[in-house]
């Protein structure tokens, strides 16, 4: 079945550490997205990519970085510059103007 | 910038009662989408509305897009425990920017 796979499901980060969240899709979608979800808030866009080797900052890109070397993959790195990284991170893809397909998410906690 | 407000934030209903969540945008939208997120899960796409005044139904769910394309609603008739979750709207505005509402968390009491 086609879909989006995010790993790991849970991730613990120490202060000052960089961590990378994986996102892989086999839907052949051109566009991929990273969203952050905090309790009581809607989804906020971190980065998006509409084509391989190109990506744009979203509303809350500071402290994050991405790459898009393959159509199927869009990893997100949470750097030590992100002061409040504890959140639920959702990767999504879509084709055209239709709805997003989301992965199952990664819960990141700073310890 | 574009803002999308969603009310209420929480709603508790007895099983069998109806439920409605409302979404209001500060700008005119080209389309609006609705998603459902079960507790501990991820958002799942439900539907997209594009036309002014459009109404779509999915079994017990009725979705409406306002005439001015700035507001939308989701109505669930005779709620069931399987309807529990958070319902999000997502509006597409200028430059194809998508903004998610803050969500309405629905709890159904058996």
């Amino acid at each position: 079945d086609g879909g989006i796979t995010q790993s790991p499901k849970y991730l613990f980060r120490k202060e000052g550490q960089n961590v990378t969240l994986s996102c892989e899709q086999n839907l052949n979608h051109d566009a991929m997205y990273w969203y952050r979800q905090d309790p009581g808030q809607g989804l906020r866009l971190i980065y998006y990519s509409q084509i391989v080797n190109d990506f744009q900052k979203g509303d809350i890109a500071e402290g994050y970085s991405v790459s898009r070397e393959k159509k199927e993959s869009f990893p997100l790195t949470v750097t030590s510059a992100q002061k409040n990284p504890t959140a639920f991170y959702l990767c999504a893809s879509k084709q055209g103007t239709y709805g997003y397909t989301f992965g199952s998410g990664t819960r990141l906690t700073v310890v | 910038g574009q803002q999308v407000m969603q009310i209420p934030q929480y709603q508790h209903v007895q099983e069998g009662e109806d439920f409605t969540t409302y979404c209001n945008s500060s700008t005119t939208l080209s389309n609006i989408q609705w998603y459902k997120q079960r507790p501990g899960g991820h958002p799942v796409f439900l539907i997209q509305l594009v036309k002014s005044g459009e109404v779509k139904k999915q079994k017990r769910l009725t979705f409406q897009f306002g005439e001015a394309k700035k507001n939308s609603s989701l109505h669930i008739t005779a709620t069931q425990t399987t309807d529990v979750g958070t319902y999000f709207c997502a509006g597409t505005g200028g430059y194809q920017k998508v903004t998610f509402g803050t969500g309405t968390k629905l709890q159904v009491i058996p």
Side-chain angles (χ1 to χ4, degrees):
Chain A
D1 286 339
I4 297 182
T5 301
Q6 286 189 245
S7 62
K9 190 169 183 177
Y10 299 95
L11 186 57
F12 297 91
R13 192 195 92 167
K14 293 182 180 178
E15 295 279 352
Q17 204 176 39
N18 291 357
V19 291
T20 298
L21 284 59
S22 171
C23 177
E24 303 278 333
Q25 57 109 349
N26 61 3
L27 298 165
N28 201 33
H29 287 172
D30 290 319
M32 296 187 74
Y33 304 79
W34 275 105
Y35 282 92
R36 170 178 171 144
Q37 186 174 35
D38 294 282
Q41 297 194 36
L43 281 65
R44 293 184 291 167
L45 182 63
I46 305 172
Y47 267 99
Y48 65 101
S49 168
Q50 294 181 312
I51 197 168
V52 174
N53 292 323
D54 189 42
F55 49 83
Q56 284 78 40
K57 293 182 179 180
D59 299 320
I60 56 165
E62 186 175 351
Y64 300 97
S65 66
V66 293
S67 63
R68 185 88 186 275
E69 297 176 2
K70 299 187 299 181
K71 187 175 185 177
E72 301 80 17
S73 178
F74 192 40
L76 173 74
T77 297
V78 184
T79 74
S80 57
Q82 170 49 238
K83 298 307 178 189
N84 185 23
T86 294
F88 187 42
Y89 290 88
L90 288 157
C91 179
S93 72
K94 68 175 184 154
Q95 192 69 22
T97 59
Y98 213 57
Y100 294 99
T101 299
F102 285 91
S104 56
T106 294
R107 294 191 184 276
L108 174 63
T109 304
V110 174
V111 295
Chain B
Q2 180 176 300
Q3 292 186 341
V4 176
M5 305 301 294
Q6 201 172 340
I7 56 170
Q9 190 174 4
Y10 301 97
Q11 184 85 59
H12 291 188
V13 299
Q14 289 287 141
E15 189 173 15
E17 291 182 340
D18 292 356
F19 159 78
T20 305
T21 174
Y22 300 90
C23 192
N24 295 291
S25 170
S26 59
T27 60
T28 301
L29 304 171
S30 58
N31 65 61
I32 194 155
Q33 299 170 353
W34 285 92
Y35 294 81
K36 176 183 179 181
Q37 184 174 21
R38 293 183 186 275
H42 59 276
V44 174
F45 174 72
L46 295 176
I47 207 161
Q48 177 170 275
L49 304 172
V50 178
K51 299 176 184 176
S52 170
E54 188 169 14
V55 178
K56 286 189 177 180
K57 293 190 176 184
Q58 288 180 349
K59 297 183 180 177
R60 293 178 296 103
L61 278 61
T62 302
F63 304 85
Q64 291 188 316
F65 201 9
E67 294 290 340
K69 300 183 77 173
K70 295 182 73 174
N71 56 72
S72 181
S73 65
L74 159 58
H75 179 82
I76 302 178
T77 303
T79 54
Q80 300 175 358
T81 54
T82 54
D83 295 326
V84 165
T86 301
Y87 293 84
F88 291 96
C89 62
T92 302
Y95 301 102
Q96 292 298 301
K97 180 176 171 61
V98 176
T99 302
F100 279 81
T102 49
T104 295
K105 188 173 183 178
L106 173 63
Q107 185 63 259
V108 178
I109 305 163

